[in-house]
PDB file of all heavy atoms in Angstrom:
ATOM      1  N   GLN P 341       0.566   3.669   2.939  1.00 98.00           N
ATOM      2  CA  GLN P 341       0.620   4.994   3.556  1.00 98.00           C
ATOM      3  C   GLN P 341       1.166   6.110   2.646  1.00 98.00           C
ATOM      4  O   GLN P 341       0.698   7.230   2.721  1.00 98.00           O
ATOM      5  CB  GLN P 341       1.448   4.942   4.844  1.00 98.00           C
ATOM      6  CG  GLN P 341       0.702   4.305   5.993  1.00 98.00           C
ATOM      7  CD  GLN P 341       1.547   4.181   7.241  1.00 98.00           C
ATOM      8  OE1 GLN P 341       1.759   3.080   7.717  1.00 98.00           O
ATOM      9  NE2 GLN P 341       2.029   5.261   7.785  1.00 98.00           N
ATOM     10  N   ALA P 386      13.686   6.168  12.116  1.00 98.00           N
ATOM     11  CA  ALA P 386      14.426   7.384  11.746  1.00 98.00           C
ATOM     12  C   ALA P 386      15.924   7.120  11.779  1.00 98.00           C
ATOM     13  O   ALA P 386      16.645   7.397  10.804  1.00 98.00           O
ATOM     14  CB  ALA P 386      14.060   8.537  12.690  1.00 98.00           C
ATOM     15  N   GLU P 405      22.128   2.045  20.025  1.00 98.00           N
ATOM     16  CA  GLU P 405      20.752   1.676  20.382  1.00 98.00           C
ATOM     17  C   GLU P 405      20.733   1.180  21.832  1.00 98.00           C
ATOM     18  O   GLU P 405      21.490   0.284  22.208  1.00 98.00           O
ATOM     19  CB  GLU P 405      20.213   0.607  19.424  1.00 98.00           C
ATOM     20  CG  GLU P 405      18.883  -0.022  19.823  1.00 98.00           C
ATOM     21  CD  GLU P 405      17.765   0.974  20.149  1.00 98.00           C
ATOM     22  OE1 GLU P 405      17.503   1.883  19.337  1.00 98.00           O
ATOM     23  OE2 GLU P 405      17.164   0.850  21.231  1.00 98.00           O
ATOM     24  N   ALA P 406      19.823   1.765  22.638  1.00 98.00           N
ATOM     25  CA  ALA P 406      19.754   1.421  24.057  1.00 98.00           C
ATOM     26  C   ALA P 406      19.300  -0.022  24.274  1.00 98.00           C
ATOM     27  O   ALA P 406      19.724  -0.680  25.214  1.00 98.00           O
ATOM     28  CB  ALA P 406      18.791   2.386  24.747  1.00 98.00           C
ATOM     29  N   GLN P 413       9.898   1.652  17.985  1.00 97.00           N
ATOM     30  CA  GLN P 413       8.460   1.401  18.104  1.00 97.00           C
ATOM     31  C   GLN P 413       7.934   0.498  16.982  1.00 97.00           C
ATOM     32  O   GLN P 413       6.889  -0.141  17.124  1.00 97.00           O
ATOM     33  CB  GLN P 413       7.713   2.746  18.050  1.00 97.00           C
ATOM     34  CG  GLN P 413       8.002   3.668  19.204  1.00 97.00           C
ATOM     35  CD  GLN P 413       7.078   3.433  20.373  1.00 97.00           C
ATOM     36  OE1 GLN P 413       5.874   3.350  20.215  1.00 97.00           O
ATOM     37  NE2 GLN P 413       7.648   3.320  21.556  1.00 97.00           N
ATOM     38  N   LYS P 423       0.025  -7.569  10.752  1.00 97.00           N
ATOM     39  CA  LYS P 423       1.096  -6.635  10.400  1.00 97.00           C
ATOM     40  C   LYS P 423       2.450  -7.351  10.418  1.00 97.00           C
ATOM     41  O   LYS P 423       3.487  -6.719  10.617  1.00 97.00           O
ATOM     42  CB  LYS P 423       1.097  -5.426  11.350  1.00 97.00           C
ATOM     43  CG  LYS P 423      -0.092  -4.500  11.084  1.00 97.00           C
ATOM     44  CD  LYS P 423      -0.148  -3.305  12.011  1.00 97.00           C
ATOM     45  CE  LYS P 423       0.567  -2.124  11.461  1.00 97.00           C
ATOM     46  NZ  LYS P 423       0.161  -0.849  12.100  1.00 97.00           N
ATOM     47  N   VAL P 469      10.322   8.167  20.624  1.00 98.00           N
ATOM     48  CA  VAL P 469       9.167   8.527  21.453  1.00 98.00           C
ATOM     49  C   VAL P 469       8.943   7.493  22.547  1.00 98.00           C
ATOM     50  O   VAL P 469       9.458   6.385  22.481  1.00 98.00           O
ATOM     51  CB  VAL P 469       7.890   8.593  20.576  1.00 98.00           C
ATOM     52  CG1 VAL P 469       7.925   9.779  19.640  1.00 98.00           C
ATOM     53  CG2 VAL P 469       7.671   7.294  19.793  1.00 98.00           C
ATOM     54  N   GLY P 659      10.654  11.041  15.708  1.00 97.00           N
ATOM     55  CA  GLY P 659       9.775  11.319  16.829  1.00 97.00           C
ATOM     56  C   GLY P 659      10.437  12.147  17.909  1.00 97.00           C
ATOM     57  O   GLY P 659       9.770  12.868  18.660  1.00 97.00           O
ATOM     58  N   ALA P 668       5.965   6.186  10.835  1.00 98.00           N
ATOM     59  CA  ALA P 668       7.248   5.763  10.267  1.00 98.00           C
ATOM     60  C   ALA P 668       7.492   6.433   8.917  1.00 98.00           C
ATOM     61  O   ALA P 668       8.641   6.634   8.530  1.00 98.00           O
ATOM     62  CB  ALA P 668       7.258   4.248  10.142  1.00 98.00           C
TER      63      ALA P 668
HETATM   64  P1  LIG E 701      11.404   5.167  17.797  1.00 54.68           P
HETATM   65  O1  LIG E 701      10.761   4.115  17.000  1.00 54.68           O
HETATM   66  O2  LIG E 701      10.839   5.501  19.133  1.00 54.68           O
HETATM   67  O3  LIG E 701      12.937   4.771  17.972  1.00 54.68           O
HETATM   68  C1  LIG E 701      13.801   5.428  18.839  1.00 54.68           C
HETATM   69  C2  LIG E 701      14.917   4.485  19.291  1.00 54.68           C
HETATM   70  O4  LIG E 701      15.897   5.224  19.996  1.00 54.68           O
HETATM   71  C3  LIG E 701      14.457   3.397  20.216  1.00 54.68           C
HETATM   72  O5  LIG E 701      14.863   2.125  19.734  1.00 54.68           O
HETATM   73  C4  LIG E 701      15.138   3.728  21.556  1.00 54.68           C
HETATM   74  O6  LIG E 701      15.454   2.566  22.307  1.00 54.68           O
HETATM   75  C5  LIG E 701      16.385   4.445  21.080  1.00 54.68           C
HETATM   76  N1  LIG E 701      16.993   5.383  22.060  1.00 54.68           N
HETATM   77  C6  LIG E 701      16.392   6.382  22.737  1.00 54.68           C
HETATM   78  N2  LIG E 701      17.307   7.063  23.474  1.00 54.68           N
HETATM   79  C7  LIG E 701      18.518   6.488  23.241  1.00 54.68           C
HETATM   80  C8  LIG E 701      19.846   6.750  23.701  1.00 54.68           C
HETATM   81  N3  LIG E 701      20.134   7.768  24.504  1.00 54.68           N
HETATM   82  N4  LIG E 701      20.846   5.926  23.271  1.00 54.68           N
HETATM   83  C9  LIG E 701      20.580   4.903  22.429  1.00 54.68           C
HETATM   84  N5  LIG E 701      19.349   4.636  21.959  1.00 54.68           N
HETATM   85  C10 LIG E 701      18.320   5.417  22.360  1.00 54.68           C
HETATM   86  N6  LIG E 701       3.888   3.844  11.951  1.00 54.68           N
HETATM   87  C11 LIG E 701       3.502   3.766  10.691  1.00 54.68           C
HETATM   88  O7  LIG E 701       3.935   4.579   9.865  1.00 54.68           O
HETATM   89  N7  LIG E 701       2.651   2.808  10.259  1.00 54.68           N
HETATM   90  C12 LIG E 701       2.152   1.885  11.095  1.00 54.68           C
HETATM   91  O8  LIG E 701       1.378   1.038  10.677  1.00 54.68           O
HETATM   92  C13 LIG E 701       2.555   1.924  12.432  1.00 54.68           C
HETATM   93  N8  LIG E 701       2.068   1.037  13.307  1.00 54.68           N
HETATM   94  C14 LIG E 701       2.453   1.092  14.604  1.00 54.68           C
HETATM   95  C15 LIG E 701       1.931   0.155  15.476  1.00 54.68           C
HETATM   96  C16 LIG E 701       2.321   0.159  16.805  1.00 54.68           C
HETATM   97  C17 LIG E 701       1.738  -0.862  17.746  1.00 54.68           C
HETATM   98  C18 LIG E 701       3.246   1.139  17.257  1.00 54.68           C
HETATM   99  C19 LIG E 701       3.685   1.169  18.683  1.00 54.68           C
HETATM  100  C20 LIG E 701       3.737   2.086  16.384  1.00 54.68           C
HETATM  101  C21 LIG E 701       3.331   2.076  15.059  1.00 54.68           C
HETATM  102  N9  LIG E 701       3.787   3.016  14.143  1.00 54.68           N
HETATM  103  C22 LIG E 701       3.414   2.937  12.839  1.00 54.68           C
HETATM  104  C23 LIG E 701       4.564   4.183  14.575  1.00 54.68           C
HETATM  105  C24 LIG E 701       6.067   4.033  14.279  1.00 54.68           C
HETATM  106  O9  LIG E 701       6.554   2.833  14.798  1.00 54.68           O
HETATM  107  C25 LIG E 701       6.786   5.249  14.850  1.00 54.68           C
HETATM  108  O10 LIG E 701       6.264   6.418  14.291  1.00 54.68           O
HETATM  109  C26 LIG E 701       8.275   5.176  14.570  1.00 54.68           C
HETATM  110  O11 LIG E 701       8.824   4.019  15.158  1.00 54.68           O
HETATM  111  C27 LIG E 701       9.027   6.401  15.098  1.00 54.68           C
HETATM  112  O12 LIG E 701      10.361   6.274  14.728  1.00 54.68           O
HETATM  113  P2  LIG E 701      11.577   6.962  15.487  1.00 54.68           P
HETATM  114  O13 LIG E 701      12.798   6.363  14.912  1.00 54.68           O
HETATM  115  O14 LIG E 701      11.427   8.429  15.412  1.00 54.68           O
HETATM  116  O15 LIG E 701      11.441   6.548  17.009  1.00 54.68           O
END
Side-chain angles (χ1 to χ4, degrees):
Q341 284 177 240
E405 170 51 51
Q413 295 272 312
K423 288 179 91 161
V469 290

